[in-house]
Amino acid sequence: LAEWAWSLVRGNTHLGLVEAGALKVVAEVVQPRDLQPLQELVANHLSPFRVRVAALKAVGTLSARYPEFRAETRPLLMQYGDKNHPVRLIAALPEAWVEAQDASLSGSFETYIHRKNYGLLSMLIPRARRAQDRFNRRIAVGAVSEKFTELSDLKEKYSKLSREVEELKEMLKASAQK
């Protein structure tokens, strides 16, 4: 499926509609080996914006699934943050950041929302704030699930220690009776 989707991505259709759809498929089955082609698609300024936006979201998905690649994915996810890029790419950044689920991108939301001289781009601020809320909830859910896992481990250790203490008490009673 991934090979077929990549064959469609390499095509050249009107406005990149087919390529963007194929990149959505790639994002569903993304693997670490897909990072290099995605980097090329994000950096290709001649490709249609839909292709670059879909590639950004696929990079975000790759970052979420494989946190060990975040050092390579963060620059890709942050490169269109300034005002010298097409509005459609700038508008897609918060959604890509939400997909990435990378807590270190929370500062990027603040910079994005509070940047000076927004002008016409001020219409992006409410959308970015909603995306930031989703981002914070996802990060919080991840933190909560980690806490539940930690709590479960602690309960297991506590029950093991309780059993050992009871066994020691039984051993002490047995040795005291002799």
Side-chain angles (χ1 to χ4, degrees):
L1 182 62
E3 290 177 23
W4 173 75
W6 276 113
S7 69
L8 291 175
V9 169
R10 291 180 189 92
N12 191 14
T13 60
H14 180 66
L15 300 176
L17 293 170
V18 172
E19 292 90 344
L23 278 169
K24 288 179 183 177
V25 172
V26 167
E28 292 295 322
V29 295
V30 71
Q31 296 292 319
R33 68 175 180 270
D34 297 327
L35 181 59
Q36 181 63 33
L38 288 171
Q39 285 174 332
E40 293 169 5
L41 287 170
V42 170
N44 185 0
H45 296 289
L46 297 177
S47 62
F49 80 90
R50 284 181 180 88
V51 173
R52 290 164 68 190
V53 166
L56 276 171
K57 289 183 180 179
V59 167
T61 304
L62 185 129
S63 176
R65 285 197 191 137
Y66 303 99
E68 62 271 15
F69 289 99
R70 287 188 172 158
E72 290 90 5
T73 59
R74 280 184 194 125
L76 293 171
L77 292 170
M78 295 170 54
Q79 74 178 354
Y80 295 115
D82 62 0
K83 61 185 174 196
N84 297 326
H85 295 287
V87 174
R88 291 175 175 165
L89 287 174
I90 295 170
L93 282 177
E95 293 301 321
W97 295 338
V98 169
E99 288 293 322
Q101 299 178 15
D102 185 358
S104 66
L105 293 173
S106 62
S108 300
F109 275 105
E110 293 302 320
T111 304
Y112 185 92
I113 290 170
H114 299 296
R115 114 178 130 178
K116 295 184 183 199
N117 300 327
Y118 242 114
L120 291 175
L121 296 179
S122 64
M123 66 185 169
L124 299 177
I125 293 173
R127 179 190 285 174
R129 285 193 176 134
R130 288 189 301 272
Q132 184 182 26
D133 289 341
R134 282 195 315 279
F135 176 81
N136 289 335
R137 281 194 300 270
R138 280 189 178 181
I139 296 298
V141 166
V144 167
S145 68
E146 288 174 11
K147 293 294 181 186
F148 278 128
T149 303
E150 184 180 346
L151 183 62
S152 171
D153 292 342
L154 287 173
K155 282 183 178 180
E156 187 177 311
K157 288 178 183 178
Y158 174 74
S159 64
K160 182 180 176 184
L161 285 173
S162 295
R163 284 192 305 267
E164 289 177 359
V165 166
E166 291 301 319
E167 289 173 5
L168 286 173
K169 284 181 182 178
E170 293 295 323
M171 292 169 72
L172 281 173
K173 283 182 184 178
S175 66
Q177 291 175 356
K178 289 182 182 181

